[in-house]
Structure formats: structure tokens, C-alpha cells
Amino acid sequence: MAACISPSQTSISVSDSTDSVPVANPATRTPRCFEFGSRTRYIVLVLVTLCLSSIWSNILTFNFTVICMGPKNMTRAVGHLDQAGTHLGRTGTEREKYNTTMNEMKNNPLTPPFFNESHIVTTNEYDYSPTADSWANHDYTPSANEKSMLIGAVAVGALITSVPLTYVNSRFGARIVFAAVGLLSALATALIPMAVRSNFTFFLILRALQGVGYAACMPMVGAVTAKWATLKQNGLFVSMLTAFVQIAPSMTMPISGKLCASQYGWPSVYYVHATYCFVLFTVFAVFYQNSPKNHPFVGQAELDKLAVGKSNAAAIKKAQKNTPYGPIFKTMAIWAVWVASIGNFSGYNLISLFSPTYLNKVMGYAVVKTGLSAALPPFFQVCVKIVSGASSDKIRCLPETLKVRIYNSVAYCSFAVFMVCLAFTPASHPTLALVFMTCGTSLLGFNTGGFYKSATLVSRHYSQYVMGIVSTIICATMLLVPVIVGALTETNSIEEWARVFFVFAGIMVVTNLFFVIFASGKAAWWALEPVSKEKKEAWEISTGHYQISSVAADKKAPNKPVVY
């Protein structure tokens, strides 16, 4: 960590603007204490990633607890017959469990001759666990319609607030807005057990409030990447920040499985997640700053690194007050990002929202094992994402446009292939199904070097607006995916799920084809500084989409190394 110098040395005043700051003069800037070896940006990266993960974890709590909120569904004999009876798992129908227990009891030599059907009861009526009558085991089994509404409520809340939050974020800064929605998510999560016991409408409202927190996630990814990442580390920051959608289930699924099976029951899942979220966002509100220049732990050496290749701060501040929405929506490279995000989040929501149901209902995994198994695909995807982002930054022998196309194609085509393999996997091979699901989901992590990176490279300091639309698309897929899956899986049979996997494999192939045709890895003319007619004319239509025809425009007005 850097050493402090005498406070008598001169320093310059720091602007409180959330968008940009004046130019720093190295000769007059006072070195800061605790500069973390000029690596404060990495601490910010980790903190924001954990906060993003916490918001998504809060949303996923219901998707797991829905399989353990109902009655225990175990059939057993009463009294002294309990020792001879069979404690069945959570798979199979009640009639199958009943018949199995009856046959085993009748064939058991320890069964008394007076044994009959009246001695068999279910734990819906009798439960001998020490917390059977407590709030911890309050039974709630949502209907298929209620489950769809509760999943869709998150998307509705996020859809309604995604555009307003993008505007508020640019007006007041990410620190205030993101901290507020994070604490709101924690509060809503903590109140869900109460809502389950009281009112379904209240439950829906709380789920919608969880969605409000999620609406701020993607704009936050864009803002942190634009402000805190060097251009050479763009891929690394994007890979880490977008990994929150994989980190969250990797933590939530196994923890929820253990808590559900514990004496504290499913409500503890919500209380633990809410507490964790509250602590994280409290730390975020204290530590995070909208601009590196305003951070007390960022020194001049780190500011210089962040400034390389970036545009003039004053020009960016002026430009962001007049966001070029028209040119953004007319740029096919941006549409390629948005279309690719439809495929990506359709596939990912299929796994994150329904893998517990598929593994438990179709493949027969027990609840605790379901939690651990469902955590494997997103865990390995995090590893692939990090490798993908870092390798994309290191490979210099290929142009950025070609790299984003290759990485995206590897991600989408691999996912599609393994979904097809999953469709042909019989229920008698649950381990093979888990392997296919893990491989497909993991390789989807190459999207970090694909459409994610393309979005930040093309839009530069306008990336928060582009990612705001991506956030809206995520919400839309969260609404549509449950509808599609629900329509195709009325009985959760293996044949119905095969159709689901075929449909989503097709979606991935089609959206990737669109991305490959129109994608770009170069900054759009409206993202260059200063914007001029010459730079606009430097864009030409090539193979049906916009591209920068040459770098001559950049040479006319070289970027100044100024931190914004």
C-alpha cells in the first residue's frame, strides 16, 4: 500500500459529479493512504460482483424452496410399525409410495398379523419431527398457475422499472441507486415467509420488488466497466461482473438445500439470504464511488492506468446529457448484441429457473442432492467466463470483431449441442443428464468474449444504456421462458422435456447466426470523441451492417488520457 505524505502538500479540489471529473494534475494531486498497491479497482470489481450475485440469489430462493415448501410427502407406519416401515423420498406419486409401503409391510416378517391399511398414514396428517407444528415447516404448495405468477412477478417488476432506473442511475449516480435497490431486495426477501403465511397478493408484490433490484444489475455492469476498467482489462471486468448470474445459483442452490432439510425449514433460506444481502450493500454504500477520481483509496498511478485510451471527461459529460438514442437504435451491431442476449438469457433462464425441477421431478434427485447438483453448471460456467474474458483480452493476433464472433459461436453452438444430447437422455441415466447440463451451461460462459464484450466495445461510455436494454430483455425472457416450459411440460415427462430442449437449442442457433452476421468489435461513430460528421461518414454499410471503414477518423482526434 502506498505511503502517505505530508498533508501540507498541495492538492486540487475534486468534483462531486457522478459522471465525470476534472483533469487531474499528477504534480498537485496528494497521494492517498491505503491505495492497495494501485489495485483498488479489483476490490471494487469483487464487491460489485458479490452485490450483483446477492440480488440474483434473492430471486432464486423461491425457485428452489418451491420444491421443499410443501408437505414432506413421506409415507410411514404408525407407532411400533414405524421401525419396519420404509421412509420414502420425495419422488414418485403418493399412490406409488402408498402401494410400495403396503407391499413392503405385508412382506416384512416383523409386521404383526393385525396390520391393515388403517395403520398407514402420511406426514400430511402426522409428523413426528420436533418442529412439525412450528412456523419453520409451514406447508405451502403453489399451483402451477401461482408458480408461474410468482416467477413472472419478478420479470414484471424489473420490466416496469428498467427504463426509469437507467435514467435515475445517470441522474443521481450508481452508488445511491444501486445501494437503494439492493437494500430493497433484502427487505423484500426477508418478508417473504410472512407473506406466504398471510396473503398471496403480498407475496406477488414482494417478488416484484425483488425484480426491481434485478433491473439495476445490467446498467451497473455497464457503469462499472466504463468507469473502473482499463481498456485492456475490459474483457476481465465484463466476465467477472456478468458472472453474477452463475455465482448466485452456485451459492444459493447448495445452501438452500441444506437449510430446507434442516430443523429451521425453508423460511431460513430467505432470512439467511436477506441478511447477507443487507450486509453486502451496506459495505457497498460505504466503499463504492461513482468515479475513481473521487475514491479515497485510488492514487495517481491507478488513475493514469484507467485513463489510457479513454475519451475526454468533459466531452463525455456533455455527450451523456444528450444520449444519441436514434443512432444507437439504428446501429446493427447494437441490435446484434440485443438479439444475442435473447438467446443467451432464454437458455440461461431455462437452466437457472428449471434445473431444480428437472433434476428433482424428472431425474429423481433428492432435495439436498438437487441443490448440490443444480449448483454445478453455474459454478463451472463462472470458471469458463473468467478464462474467456482473460483470454479474449490477451489474444492480439485477431481483430476484435472476429474474436467476438468466434467466442459467441463457441458458447451458443456448444450449449445447443448439449441441449440436444440432453433431449435424448433417458430418465434411467440421471448422472449423464447432469453431465450434459453442466457441459452445455459451462461452455455458454464463452459469451463473455462474445456479445457481452461487443456491447461495451461498440457503445463505450454509453454502455449503461445499451446494457439497460439488455436488462429489459432479460426480464422479458424471464416472463416468456416459464410460459414456454409450462406449456410444454404439463406432466413433467421425459418426452415433454425433450421438446423443451429442442426448442431452446433452436433459439440459440438462430440468435447466434444473427449476431455473427451483424456483430462488431469497434466503437460506433457516436461513441467516439469528439463526434463529428467525418466520423459518422467513416461508417459504411458492409455486408448489410455498420462497420468502421478505417481508423483514419481516430487519428484525426486522438483520445486524451483523462479519467472520467
Side-chain angles (χ1 to χ4, degrees), residues 41-85:
R41 62 189 182 279
Y42 297 120
I43 298 177
V44 171
L45 174 63
V46 173
L47 176 61
V48 174
T49 300
L50 291 176
C51 288
L52 293 167
S53 302
S54 179
I55 287 181
W56 186 231
S57 289
N58 291 344
I59 294 172
L60 292 179
T61 50
F62 171 75
N63 298 90
F64 188 90
T65 56
V66 71
I67 67 176
C68 63
M69 294 171 81
K72 292 184 178 179
N73 291 332
M74 294 191 301
T75 304
R76 63 187 182 185
V78 180
H80 63 279
L81 300 178
D82 186 61
Q83 295 180 353

Short mmCIF file of all heavy atoms in Angstrom, two decimals, residues 41-85:
data_model
loop_
_atom_site.label_atom_id
_atom_site.label_comp_id
_atom_site.label_asym_id
_atom_site.label_seq_id
_atom_site.Cartn_x
_atom_site.Cartn_y
_atom_site.Cartn_z
N ARG A 41 -9.32 -0.89 -7.97
CA ARG A 41 -10.36 -1.25 -8.93
C ARG A 41 -10.75 -2.73 -8.82
O ARG A 41 -11.90 -3.10 -9.09
CB ARG A 41 -9.91 -0.93 -10.36
CG ARG A 41 -8.67 -1.68 -10.84
CD ARG A 41 -8.19 -1.11 -12.16
NE ARG A 41 -7.04 -1.82 -12.71
CZ ARG A 41 -5.79 -1.61 -12.33
NH1 ARG A 41 -5.54 -0.72 -11.38
NH2 ARG A 41 -4.79 -2.28 -12.89
N TYR A 42 -9.81 -3.58 -8.41
CA TYR A 42 -10.13 -5.00 -8.27
C TYR A 42 -11.01 -5.25 -7.04
O TYR A 42 -11.86 -6.15 -7.05
CB TYR A 42 -8.84 -5.82 -8.16
CG TYR A 42 -7.98 -5.75 -9.40
CD1 TYR A 42 -6.68 -5.27 -9.34
CD2 TYR A 42 -8.47 -6.16 -10.63
CE1 TYR A 42 -5.89 -5.20 -10.47
CE2 TYR A 42 -7.69 -6.09 -11.79
CZ TYR A 42 -6.40 -5.60 -11.69
OH TYR A 42 -5.63 -5.53 -12.81
N ILE A 43 -10.80 -4.47 -6.00
CA ILE A 43 -11.67 -4.58 -4.82
C ILE A 43 -13.08 -4.15 -5.18
O ILE A 43 -14.07 -4.77 -4.78
CB ILE A 43 -11.10 -3.74 -3.66
CG1 ILE A 43 -9.73 -4.25 -3.25
CG2 ILE A 43 -12.06 -3.76 -2.47
CD1 ILE A 43 -9.06 -3.45 -2.17
N VAL A 44 -13.17 -3.07 -5.95
CA VAL A 44 -14.48 -2.61 -6.44
C VAL A 44 -15.13 -3.70 -7.29
O VAL A 44 -16.33 -3.98 -7.16
CB VAL A 44 -14.33 -1.31 -7.25
CG1 VAL A 44 -15.64 -0.95 -7.94
CG2 VAL A 44 -13.89 -0.16 -6.34
N LEU A 45 -14.33 -4.33 -8.14
CA LEU A 45 -14.85 -5.39 -9.01
C LEU A 45 -15.44 -6.54 -8.20
O LEU A 45 -16.56 -7.01 -8.48
CB LEU A 45 -13.72 -5.88 -9.92
CG LEU A 45 -14.02 -7.10 -10.80
CD1 LEU A 45 -15.13 -6.77 -11.78
CD2 LEU A 45 -12.76 -7.55 -11.53
N VAL A 46 -14.71 -7.00 -7.21
CA VAL A 46 -15.18 -8.12 -6.38
C VAL A 46 -16.42 -7.73 -5.59
O VAL A 46 -17.40 -8.49 -5.51
CB VAL A 46 -14.06 -8.60 -5.44
CG1 VAL A 46 -14.59 -9.63 -4.45
CG2 VAL A 46 -12.90 -9.18 -6.23
N LEU A 47 -16.40 -6.54 -5.00
CA LEU A 47 -17.54 -6.10 -4.18
C LEU A 47 -18.81 -5.98 -5.01
O LEU A 47 -19.88 -6.46 -4.60
CB LEU A 47 -17.20 -4.75 -3.53
CG LEU A 47 -18.32 -4.10 -2.71
CD1 LEU A 47 -18.74 -5.00 -1.56
CD2 LEU A 47 -17.88 -2.73 -2.20
N VAL A 48 -18.71 -5.35 -6.17
CA VAL A 48 -19.90 -5.17 -7.01
C VAL A 48 -20.39 -6.53 -7.53
O VAL A 48 -21.61 -6.77 -7.59
CB VAL A 48 -19.60 -4.22 -8.19
CG1 VAL A 48 -20.78 -4.16 -9.15
CG2 VAL A 48 -19.27 -2.82 -7.67
N THR A 49 -19.48 -7.43 -7.87
CA THR A 49 -19.88 -8.76 -8.34
C THR A 49 -20.66 -9.50 -7.26
O THR A 49 -21.68 -10.14 -7.54
CB THR A 49 -18.64 -9.58 -8.74
OG1 THR A 49 -17.94 -8.90 -9.79
CG2 THR A 49 -19.05 -10.96 -9.23
N LEU A 50 -20.20 -9.42 -6.02
CA LEU A 50 -20.91 -10.07 -4.92
C LEU A 50 -22.28 -9.44 -4.68
O LEU A 50 -23.25 -10.14 -4.38
CB LEU A 50 -20.07 -10.00 -3.63
CG LEU A 50 -18.80 -10.85 -3.61
CD1 LEU A 50 -18.01 -10.60 -2.33
CD2 LEU A 50 -19.12 -12.33 -3.77
N CYS A 51 -22.37 -8.13 -4.82
CA CYS A 51 -23.66 -7.45 -4.66
C CYS A 51 -24.64 -7.88 -5.75
O CYS A 51 -25.82 -8.14 -5.48
CB CYS A 51 -23.46 -5.94 -4.69
SG CYS A 51 -22.66 -5.26 -3.22
N LEU A 52 -24.15 -7.92 -6.99
CA LEU A 52 -25.00 -8.37 -8.09
C LEU A 52 -25.47 -9.81 -7.85
O LEU A 52 -26.64 -10.14 -8.08
CB LEU A 52 -24.22 -8.29 -9.40
CG LEU A 52 -23.86 -6.89 -9.91
CD1 LEU A 52 -22.83 -6.98 -11.03
CD2 LEU A 52 -25.09 -6.14 -10.39
N SER A 53 -24.55 -10.65 -7.38
CA SER A 53 -24.89 -12.05 -7.11
C SER A 53 -25.94 -12.16 -6.02
O SER A 53 -26.84 -13.02 -6.08
CB SER A 53 -23.64 -12.83 -6.70
OG SER A 53 -22.65 -12.77 -7.69
N SER A 54 -25.84 -11.30 -5.03
CA SER A 54 -26.80 -11.34 -3.92
C SER A 54 -28.21 -11.03 -4.39
O SER A 54 -29.19 -11.66 -3.95
CB SER A 54 -26.37 -10.36 -2.83
OG SER A 54 -27.28 -10.37 -1.75
N ILE A 55 -28.35 -10.05 -5.27
CA ILE A 55 -29.68 -9.71 -5.80
C ILE A 55 -30.28 -10.89 -6.56
O ILE A 55 -31.46 -11.23 -6.39
CB ILE A 55 -29.59 -8.47 -6.70
CG1 ILE A 55 -29.36 -7.21 -5.86
CG2 ILE A 55 -30.86 -8.30 -7.55
CD1 ILE A 55 -29.27 -5.93 -6.65
N TRP A 56 -29.46 -11.54 -7.39
CA TRP A 56 -29.96 -12.69 -8.15
C TRP A 56 -30.24 -13.88 -7.23
O TRP A 56 -31.19 -14.64 -7.45
CB TRP A 56 -28.96 -13.05 -9.24
CG TRP A 56 -29.39 -14.12 -10.19
CD1 TRP A 56 -28.68 -15.23 -10.53
CD2 TRP A 56 -30.59 -14.17 -10.98
NE1 TRP A 56 -29.36 -15.98 -11.46
CE2 TRP A 56 -30.55 -15.35 -11.74
CE3 TRP A 56 -31.70 -13.33 -11.08
CZ2 TRP A 56 -31.57 -15.72 -12.62
CZ3 TRP A 56 -32.72 -13.70 -11.96
CH2 TRP A 56 -32.65 -14.88 -12.71
N SER A 57 -29.44 -14.05 -6.19
CA SER A 57 -29.67 -15.12 -5.21
C SER A 57 -31.02 -14.95 -4.52
O SER A 57 -31.74 -15.92 -4.29
CB SER A 57 -28.55 -15.14 -4.16
OG SER A 57 -27.34 -15.61 -4.71
N ASN A 58 -31.35 -13.72 -4.17
CA ASN A 58 -32.65 -13.45 -3.54
C ASN A 58 -33.80 -13.90 -4.43
O ASN A 58 -34.81 -14.43 -3.96
CB ASN A 58 -32.78 -11.96 -3.23
CG ASN A 58 -31.84 -11.51 -2.13
OD1 ASN A 58 -31.29 -12.34 -1.39
ND2 ASN A 58 -31.63 -10.22 -2.02
N ILE A 59 -33.64 -13.69 -5.73
CA ILE A 59 -34.69 -14.09 -6.67
C ILE A 59 -34.77 -15.61 -6.79
O ILE A 59 -35.86 -16.18 -6.86
CB ILE A 59 -34.42 -13.45 -8.05
CG1 ILE A 59 -34.57 -11.93 -7.96
CG2 ILE A 59 -35.36 -14.02 -9.11
CD1 ILE A 59 -34.14 -11.20 -9.21
N LEU A 60 -33.62 -16.27 -6.76
CA LEU A 60 -33.58 -17.72 -6.95
C LEU A 60 -34.06 -18.49 -5.73
O LEU A 60 -34.31 -19.70 -5.84
CB LEU A 60 -32.16 -18.16 -7.30
CG LEU A 60 -31.61 -17.72 -8.66
CD1 LEU A 60 -30.19 -18.22 -8.82
CD2 LEU A 60 -32.49 -18.23 -9.79
N THR A 61 -34.18 -17.85 -4.59
CA THR A 61 -34.60 -18.56 -3.38
C THR A 61 -35.95 -19.26 -3.59
O THR A 61 -36.13 -20.41 -3.18
CB THR A 61 -34.71 -17.60 -2.19
OG1 THR A 61 -35.48 -16.45 -2.57
CG2 THR A 61 -33.34 -17.14 -1.74
N PHE A 62 -36.88 -18.57 -4.22
CA PHE A 62 -38.19 -19.19 -4.44
C PHE A 62 -38.10 -20.36 -5.41
O PHE A 62 -38.77 -21.38 -5.22
CB PHE A 62 -39.19 -18.16 -4.99
CG PHE A 62 -40.49 -18.78 -5.42
CD1 PHE A 62 -41.42 -19.22 -4.49
CD2 PHE A 62 -40.77 -18.97 -6.77
CE1 PHE A 62 -42.61 -19.81 -4.90
CE2 PHE A 62 -41.95 -19.56 -7.19
CZ PHE A 62 -42.88 -19.98 -6.24
N ASN A 63 -37.27 -20.23 -6.45
CA ASN A 63 -37.17 -21.30 -7.44
C ASN A 63 -36.65 -22.59 -6.85
O ASN A 63 -36.91 -23.67 -7.39
CB ASN A 63 -36.25 -20.86 -8.59
CG ASN A 63 -36.79 -19.65 -9.31
OD1 ASN A 63 -36.47 -18.51 -8.94
ND2 ASN A 63 -37.60 -19.85 -10.32
N PHE A 64 -35.94 -22.51 -5.72
CA PHE A 64 -35.52 -23.73 -5.06
C PHE A 64 -36.49 -24.15 -3.96
O PHE A 64 -36.88 -25.31 -3.87
CB PHE A 64 -34.12 -23.59 -4.46
CG PHE A 64 -33.58 -24.89 -3.94
CD1 PHE A 64 -32.85 -25.73 -4.76
CD2 PHE A 64 -33.84 -25.31 -2.64
CE1 PHE A 64 -32.37 -26.95 -4.31
CE2 PHE A 64 -33.37 -26.53 -2.17
CZ PHE A 64 -32.64 -27.34 -3.01
N THR A 65 -36.89 -23.21 -3.11
CA THR A 65 -37.74 -23.57 -1.97
C THR A 65 -39.11 -24.08 -2.42
O THR A 65 -39.80 -24.72 -1.62
CB THR A 65 -37.93 -22.38 -1.02
OG1 THR A 65 -38.47 -21.26 -1.76
CG2 THR A 65 -36.62 -21.98 -0.38
N VAL A 66 -39.49 -23.82 -3.66
CA VAL A 66 -40.79 -24.31 -4.13
C VAL A 66 -40.86 -25.83 -4.09
O VAL A 66 -41.95 -26.40 -3.99
CB VAL A 66 -41.07 -23.79 -5.57
CG1 VAL A 66 -40.17 -24.48 -6.58
CG2 VAL A 66 -42.54 -23.98 -5.93
N ILE A 67 -39.69 -26.51 -4.13
CA ILE A 67 -39.71 -27.97 -4.09
C ILE A 67 -39.65 -28.51 -2.67
O ILE A 67 -39.72 -29.72 -2.46
CB ILE A 67 -38.55 -28.58 -4.92
CG1 ILE A 67 -37.20 -28.26 -4.29
CG2 ILE A 67 -38.60 -28.11 -6.35
CD1 ILE A 67 -36.02 -28.91 -4.99
N CYS A 68 -39.52 -27.62 -1.67
CA CYS A 68 -39.49 -28.10 -0.28
C CYS A 68 -40.43 -27.31 0.63
O CYS A 68 -40.37 -27.47 1.85
CB CYS A 68 -38.07 -28.05 0.27
SG CYS A 68 -37.34 -26.41 0.37
N MET A 69 -41.28 -26.47 0.05
CA MET A 69 -42.22 -25.70 0.86
C MET A 69 -43.46 -26.50 1.21
O MET A 69 -44.17 -26.18 2.15
CB MET A 69 -42.62 -24.41 0.13
CG MET A 69 -41.50 -23.43 -0.07
SD MET A 69 -41.94 -22.06 -1.17
CE MET A 69 -42.83 -21.01 -0.05
N GLY A 70 -43.75 -27.54 0.43
CA GLY A 70 -44.94 -28.34 0.65
C GLY A 70 -44.74 -29.38 1.73
O GLY A 70 -43.71 -29.44 2.40
N PRO A 71 -45.75 -30.27 1.91
CA PRO A 71 -45.62 -31.35 2.89
C PRO A 71 -44.44 -32.24 2.57
O PRO A 71 -43.99 -32.31 1.43
CB PRO A 71 -46.94 -32.11 2.74
CG PRO A 71 -47.89 -31.12 2.15
CD PRO A 71 -47.05 -30.26 1.26
N LYS A 72 -43.97 -32.96 3.56
CA LYS A 72 -42.79 -33.79 3.38
C LYS A 72 -43.04 -34.96 2.43
O LYS A 72 -42.10 -35.55 1.92
CB LYS A 72 -42.30 -34.31 4.72
CG LYS A 72 -41.73 -33.22 5.61
CD LYS A 72 -41.17 -33.79 6.89
CE LYS A 72 -40.57 -32.70 7.75
NZ LYS A 72 -40.02 -33.22 9.01
N ASN A 73 -44.32 -35.32 2.24
CA ASN A 73 -44.67 -36.37 1.29
C ASN A 73 -43.96 -37.69 1.56
O ASN A 73 -43.52 -38.39 0.66
CB ASN A 73 -44.33 -35.93 -0.15
CG ASN A 73 -45.23 -34.81 -0.60
OD1 ASN A 73 -46.35 -34.69 -0.15
ND2 ASN A 73 -44.72 -33.98 -1.51
N MET A 74 -43.82 -38.08 2.84
CA MET A 74 -43.26 -39.38 3.18
C MET A 74 -44.38 -40.23 3.76
O MET A 74 -45.22 -39.75 4.51
CB MET A 74 -42.13 -39.25 4.20
CG MET A 74 -40.90 -38.53 3.68
SD MET A 74 -39.50 -38.68 4.79
CE MET A 74 -40.17 -37.97 6.27
N THR A 75 -44.41 -41.46 3.41
CA THR A 75 -45.41 -42.37 3.94
C THR A 75 -44.74 -43.34 4.89
O THR A 75 -43.71 -43.90 4.57
CB THR A 75 -46.06 -43.16 2.79
OG1 THR A 75 -46.58 -42.23 1.85
CG2 THR A 75 -47.16 -44.04 3.30
N ARG A 76 -45.32 -43.55 6.07
CA ARG A 76 -44.72 -44.45 7.03
C ARG A 76 -45.78 -45.03 7.96
O ARG A 76 -46.90 -44.52 8.03
CB ARG A 76 -43.66 -43.73 7.84
CG ARG A 76 -44.18 -42.59 8.70
CD ARG A 76 -43.02 -41.83 9.32
NE ARG A 76 -43.50 -40.76 10.17
CZ ARG A 76 -42.69 -39.89 10.75
NH1 ARG A 76 -41.40 -39.95 10.54
NH2 ARG A 76 -43.18 -38.95 11.53
N ALA A 77 -45.45 -46.08 8.66
CA ALA A 77 -46.39 -46.72 9.56
C ALA A 77 -46.41 -46.02 10.90
O ALA A 77 -45.47 -45.34 11.28
CB ALA A 77 -46.01 -48.18 9.74
N VAL A 78 -47.51 -46.23 11.62
CA VAL A 78 -47.68 -45.55 12.90
C VAL A 78 -47.09 -46.39 14.04
O VAL A 78 -47.10 -47.61 14.00
CB VAL A 78 -49.18 -45.29 13.17
CG1 VAL A 78 -49.38 -44.60 14.50
CG2 VAL A 78 -49.75 -44.44 12.06
N GLY A 79 -46.63 -45.70 15.07
CA GLY A 79 -46.22 -46.36 16.29
C GLY A 79 -45.09 -47.35 16.11
O GLY A 79 -44.08 -47.06 15.50
N HIS A 80 -45.27 -48.57 16.69
CA HIS A 80 -44.21 -49.57 16.65
C HIS A 80 -43.94 -50.08 15.25
O HIS A 80 -42.90 -50.67 14.98
CB HIS A 80 -44.55 -50.74 17.58
CG HIS A 80 -45.79 -51.48 17.16
ND1 HIS A 80 -47.05 -51.01 17.46
CD2 HIS A 80 -45.94 -52.63 16.45
CE1 HIS A 80 -47.95 -51.85 16.97
NE2 HIS A 80 -47.31 -52.85 16.35
N LEU A 81 -44.89 -49.87 14.34
CA LEU A 81 -44.68 -50.31 12.97
C LEU A 81 -43.73 -49.39 12.22
O LEU A 81 -43.26 -49.74 11.14
CB LEU A 81 -46.02 -50.35 12.22
CG LEU A 81 -47.08 -51.29 12.81
CD1 LEU A 81 -48.37 -51.17 11.99
CD2 LEU A 81 -46.58 -52.73 12.80
N ASP A 82 -43.44 -48.24 12.81
CA ASP A 82 -42.58 -47.26 12.13
C ASP A 82 -41.20 -47.83 11.85
O ASP A 82 -40.57 -47.50 10.85
CB ASP A 82 -42.47 -46.01 13.01
CG ASP A 82 -41.73 -44.89 12.31
OD1 ASP A 82 -42.20 -44.43 11.26
OD2 ASP A 82 -40.67 -44.49 12.82
N GLN A 83 -40.70 -48.70 12.74
CA GLN A 83 -39.36 -49.25 12.55
C GLN A 83 -39.31 -50.20 11.36
O GLN A 83 -38.27 -50.37 10.75
CB GLN A 83 -38.93 -49.99 13.82
CG GLN A 83 -38.77 -49.06 15.02
CD GLN A 83 -38.34 -49.82 16.24
OE1 GLN A 83 -38.28 -51.05 16.24
NE2 GLN A 83 -38.04 -49.09 17.31
N ALA A 84 -40.44 -50.84 11.07
CA ALA A 84 -40.45 -51.78 9.95
C ALA A 84 -40.82 -51.12 8.64
O ALA A 84 -40.60 -51.67 7.58
CB ALA A 84 -41.43 -52.92 10.24
N GLY A 85 -41.39 -49.91 8.73
CA GLY A 85 -41.83 -49.24 7.52
C GLY A 85 -40.69 -48.63 6.74
O GLY A 85 -39.57 -48.52 7.22
#
